Amino acid sequence: KMSKKEQEEVVRRDSAVEKGDTQSERNFSRQEYLKKRELQKLEELKDYLEDESYLFGDEKLTEAEIQDFRYKKAIYELIKKRTQEEDNVGEYRMPDAYDQDGSVDQEKRFAVSVQRYRDTGSTEKMNPFAEQEAWEDHQIGNATLKFGAKNKQVSDNYEFVFEDQIDFIKASVLAGDNYEDAMPAKPSQESTGKSAFDMLQEERKNLPIYSYREQLLNAVKDHQVLIIVGETGSGKTTQIPQYLHEAGYTKHGKVGCTQPRRVAAMSVSARVAQEMGVKLGHEVGYSIRFEDCTSEKTILKYMTDGMLLRELLGEPDLGSYSVIIVDEAHERTLHTDILFGLVKDIARARPDLKLLISSATMDAEKFSDFFDHAPIFSFPGRRYPVDICFTTAPEADYMDAAIATVLTIHVKEPLGDVLVFLPGQEEIEAVEENLKNKIRGLGTKIRELIICPIYANLPSELQAKIFEPTPEGARKVVLATNIAETSLTIDGIKYVVDPGFSKMKSYNPRTGMESLLVTPISKASATQRAGRAGRTSAGKCYRLYTAYNYYHDLEDNTIPEIQRTNLASVVLSLKSLGIHNLLNFDFMDPPPSEALIKSLELLFALGALNQLGELTKAGRRMAEFPLDPMLSKMIVVSDKYKCSDEIISIAAMLSIGPSIFYRPKDKQVHADNAMMNYHVGNVGDHIALLKIYNSWKETNYSTQWCYENYIQVRSMKRARDIRDQLEGLLERVEIEVSSNSNELDSIRKSIVAGFFPHTAKLQKNGSYRTVKHPQTVHIHPASGLSQVLPRWVVYHQLVLTSKEYMRQVTEVKPEWLIEIAPHYYQLKD
Ligand code: ADP
Ligand code: MG
C-alpha cells in the first residue's frame, strides 16, 4: 500500500505526464518512492532480519537460504541507512538539476537531465552493493554459522528483490518482413554429422543477401559506383567481399572494406577467414590503428575508415585495390565522411576501381546524389516483428533501470537472449558488476544468466564470447556499446533494452574544446536498436524512456560526426594529401566553417602550417604519426629536448586510455597504494605513466609484476606495441631516439610544446580556469595531482561527467608557456 504522500506524488506525476509538463515529469524521482516502498516491505521482515537467530536455530539451512537471508538483510541495512540519512535532511529529496540552473532553456533541458542522470548513475547510485559487499565480507569473517530453525513465514519471499520493476506500455510494433514462419533453429554439428566448415557454408546460403548474389554481381559489373542498402545482419559485410573474390575481383588487386569501429573490423574479418577456411592475417586480414594483421597474401582487407585514410597518404590512388567498400556508411563518422570526398575523386581518375557504398538505412538517396546519382541496390532483409515498449514514467537512473529490466526479463519472459545498449566501457563494467551481484544474491532460484560485455577496448579473446551459442536453458545478456547497433549482429537476441543514450563527442568550435558526453540517441538509432530484437524470431524492445521523450526530445537523425568534432587531425591529413583549399573540399555535409578555421588556427599554433596555410616540415613529420596533432607535436619536439625515448613511452601510455589500473574489490587500498607509488614527488600524471612503463620494462615486461602492482597487463602490452610503432615512425621522420630521464623538466617542456593550448590556472576556490578561452574545469579525482592543485597545469583531455574534468595533468611553469609558445601566450603588463 502506498502512503498518502506517495499517492499524491503519483497523481502529480500522472497529471504532469498528461499535461506534457516534462520538467516536473522528469523531476519526479521514481527511485525515491520505490526505496520507501521497499523499506516498508522490509519493515515487515524487520524482527526476523534484525536478530540472527534464524541462522543459528536447530534446523539445517541450505547454502541458498543462508545467502538469501544475507542478501535481504544487507538490503535492509542499506535502505535503513539511506532512509535515516534522508530523515536527517528532513526532506524527501528531489533531483535538483534544474533548481541550480533554473534558466536552462526548453531545448537544452533534456541534455541537462542527461547530465544529471549520469551523475547519479555513475557515482553514488551505481554502487549500493559496494556497501552490501562490505557487509557480507564482514559477516563471512565473523559468523560461525550454526544451522537452525527456519522461519517458514519468510522463506520464499523473493518478490521484493524485484520491487524496482519498471512499468512498461507497449506502444507500437516494428513491422517485420517475414514472420509467418520462425527461422528454423540452427542444427547442431553433431545432429547433422557435417563438418564445421560445411555448416558455415550452409549458414552463408541462409543469409538474405544470398538470393541476390547474381543480381548484385551483375550490378557491380555494370556500374562503377553502387550504393547498397540492406538490413543489418543480412550479410553485407561478411558476404559481399567474398562474392567479389569468387567473381574474380581479387585477381588484380585487393578488396578493401572499411568499418567505423575497430572491434567490427577485427570480429568480421575473423568470421570471414573462418568462412573461407583460411588463417586470419593471410588471405583475409584486418588493419586498425597500431595493429596490422595482414600479409602479402591478403586479398580481403577489413580496416577502420581511419586506416584507409592513412593508407591514402602513402598510396594516393589506392592502386593496390580493385574494389573499395565503404561499409556502414550510415554511421557518418568523420573518417567515413572524408573518405566519401576522396574516393569519389579517385574513382573518377581510376575507371577500373569499383566503389561500393553500403548502408543499413533506407535514406540512400543522399549517398546516391553525392556520388553522381549512382544506382541504389537495395534488397529486403528478414526481420520479425518487434514490440516496442516505453516506460510509463521517466527513469531517474538509466543504469539501475537497465539492470531492473534485465532481471525482470530474465525472471518473467520466455528464454531468448537480451541485448542492452550502454554508452561506454565504464557503464558496461558498472552494470556488469551490479548485475553479477544481484544474481549472486538470488542464488539458485533463477536460471543461469551469462553476461557478455562488448566494447572497443575489450581484448579480442573475449570479443568472440558474444558469438558463442547460449547453452540450453540459460540466457545470455550482451552489454554493448553502439557497436551492436549495426556493426555487429549477434544471433539469438530476442529482447533489446534501450536506455536511449550513447556517448558522443561534442565540440565547441568557439573555444576549441572537445568532450565526450552521454547524449540522447536519435530516433533513427532507436529504430535500429529495436530491430536487433527481431533477427531470428519475434522480439521485444524495452525503451527506458517515455513515449513523450521519444517524440519530443529525440532528433530524427544523428548529426554527422564531422559537424561536432575537432577537425585538426583530418585537416592535417588532408593538407598532407595536397588538398589545400579545404573550404572547397567535396563534403557530403560540410563542417561548420568555424570549426575548420579553428583547426587551421590550432595547426598553425602547433607550427604544422605556415602563415599561408601550407604544411611545414614539422607538419609533414607530425602527419606521419597516427595520433592527434598535439601528441604528434609533443613527439616531434622531443627531438629538441633530447627525450624522444621518454616521450614516445608517454604518448603510448596516453593512447591506451584510462584503463591501466584495476582495483579488485577486496584490495582497493592495496591497489590505490600501488598507484600512489608512481605519484611520489607529485611528478604529474604524464611522468607517472612514464614511471609505470619503465618499471614494467625493467622487470623485462613481467606479467607477474603487473599483477603485483594492480596494473592491467593487457593495457601494458598494448602500450608496448604502440610504443614500438612510434619508435619505427621516429626513424621514418629522422628523429633519433634519445633519452634524458633525469631531466624531468625537459620532458615536461616537450609536453607543453604539444599541449600548450590545454593550459589551466588554479582559482581561489580550488577549481581551474582554462587560459585561452576561459572555462571552469577540475582535476580528475583519479589524477595524482587532484589533492595537490598546482597553480598552472596542462592537461591531456577533458571529460565531462558530473563536472568538466581534466584527465592526465602535469604541472608547468608559466614562463615555459612564454618561452615555448610566444605566439600564443604573452606576458600581461
Ligand atoms: P550486415 O553487414 O548486413 O549487417 P553481416 O555480414 O555483418 O551483416 O552478418 C551476417 C551474419 O554473420 C550475421 O548473422 C552474423 O550473426 C554473422 N556473423 C558476423 N560476424 C560474426 C562473428 N564474428 N561470429 C559469428 N557470426 C558472425
Ligand atoms: Mg555490416
Side-chain angles (χ1 to χ4, degrees), residues 140-158:
I140 290 164
N142 281 353
T144 340
L145 284 183
K146 292 186 196 147
F147 300 109
K150 251 188 297 199
N151 191 339
K152 285 274 181 325
Q153 168 208 339
V154 287
S155 56
D156 262 330
N157 197 342
Y158 283 90

Side-chain angles (χ1 to χ4, degrees), residues 573-592:
S573 300
L574 289 176
K575 286 274 179 185
S576 34
L577 280 171
I579 294 160
H580 297 300
N581 193 344
L582 294 169
L583 293 171
N584 284 349
F585 184 77
D586 196 358
F587 291 112
M588 186 177 285
D589 288 302

Side-chain angles (χ1 to χ4, degrees), residues 203 207 230-239 267-268 270-271 274-275 327-328 379 467 486-491 535:
E203 270 182 48
L207 289 170
E231 175 86 27
T232 299
S234 56
K236 298 184 297 302
T237 312
T238 53
Q239 303 308 305
S267 154
V268 167
R271 169 72 175 191
Q274 209 184 5
E275 288 183 359
D327 200 5
E328 313 288 332
F379 62 97
F467 292 106
T486 59
S487 300
L488 288 184
T489 311
I490 305 148
D491 289 330
R535 262 273 304 154

Side-chain angles (χ1 to χ4, degrees), residues 194-213:
K194 289 191 182 125
S195 74
F197 184 77
D198 289 343
M199 298 285 296
L200 275 177
Q201 298 317 309
E202 258 169 52
E203 270 182 48
R204 286 185 65 193
K205 290 184 184 152
N206 274 328
L207 289 170
I209 198 172
Y210 183 71
S211 341
Y212 300 90
R213 186 181 182 275

Side-chain angles (χ1 to χ4, degrees), residues 60-170:
K60 201 165 168 68
L61 295 182
T62 68
E63 196 52 44
E65 283 162 339
I66 295 167
Q67 280 275 331
D68 174 48
F69 176 84
R70 289 223 168 112
Y71 183 71
K72 286 176 185 168
K73 171 143 182 168
I75 296 181
Y76 170 71
E77 299 273 333
L78 193 69
I79 293 178
K80 194 168 83 177
K81 195 166 145 240
R82 291 258 159 118
T83 338
Q84 279 162 358
E85 279 165 13
E86 278 164 17
D87 287 345
N88 292 341
V89 183
E91 264 284 307
Y92 189 74
R93 235 191 309 138
M94 289 298 226
D96 51 10
Y98 302 113
D99 301 346
Q100 63 188 27
D101 196 355
S103 59
V104 181
D105 73 53
Q106 296 293 328
E107 272 81 8
K108 300 264 169 61
R109 274 208 321 243
F110 196 54
V112 171
S113 62
V114 172
Q115 193 47 47
R116 190 183 59 70
Y117 287 176
R118 201 181 135 56
D119 297 348
T120 50
S122 64
T123 54
E124 187 196 329
K125 284 203 176 135
M126 274 318 289
N127 270 328
F129 290 89
E131 287 171 62
Q132 181 209 335
E133 278 202 348
W135 180 87
E136 276 184 354
D137 287 347
H138 181 73
Q139 290 302 306
I140 290 164
N142 281 353
T144 340
L145 284 183
K146 292 186 196 147
F147 300 109
K150 251 188 297 199
N151 191 339
K152 285 274 181 325
Q153 168 208 339
V154 287
S155 56
D156 262 330
N157 197 342
Y158 283 90
E159 268 297 303
F160 73 90
V161 173
F162 295 113
E163 188 58 24
D164 51 351
Q165 260 179 45
I166 293 163
D167 299 325
F168 285 98
I169 38 170
K170 180 172 148 184

Side-chain angles (χ1 to χ4, degrees), residues 466-528:
I466 63 165
F467 292 106
E468 280 167 16
T470 313
E472 211 161 308
R475 190 193 301 270
K476 179 161 77 184
V477 49
V478 179
L479 309 175
T481 57
N482 247 357
I483 176 111
E485 204 173 283
T486 59
S487 300
L488 288 184
T489 311
I490 305 148
D491 289 330
I493 299 292
K494 199 173 165 61
Y495 307 96
V496 163
V497 177
D498 173 19
F501 298 111
S502 70
K503 213 168 253 180
M504 277 220 277
K505 260 195 247 163
S506 80
Y507 177 66
N508 180 340
R510 195 182 52 76
T511 60
M513 298 220 186
E514 191 174 44
S515 271
L516 267 184
L517 180 66
V518 176
T519 317
I521 58 171
S522 64
K523 292 196 183 89
S525 276
T527 308
Q528 279 297 333

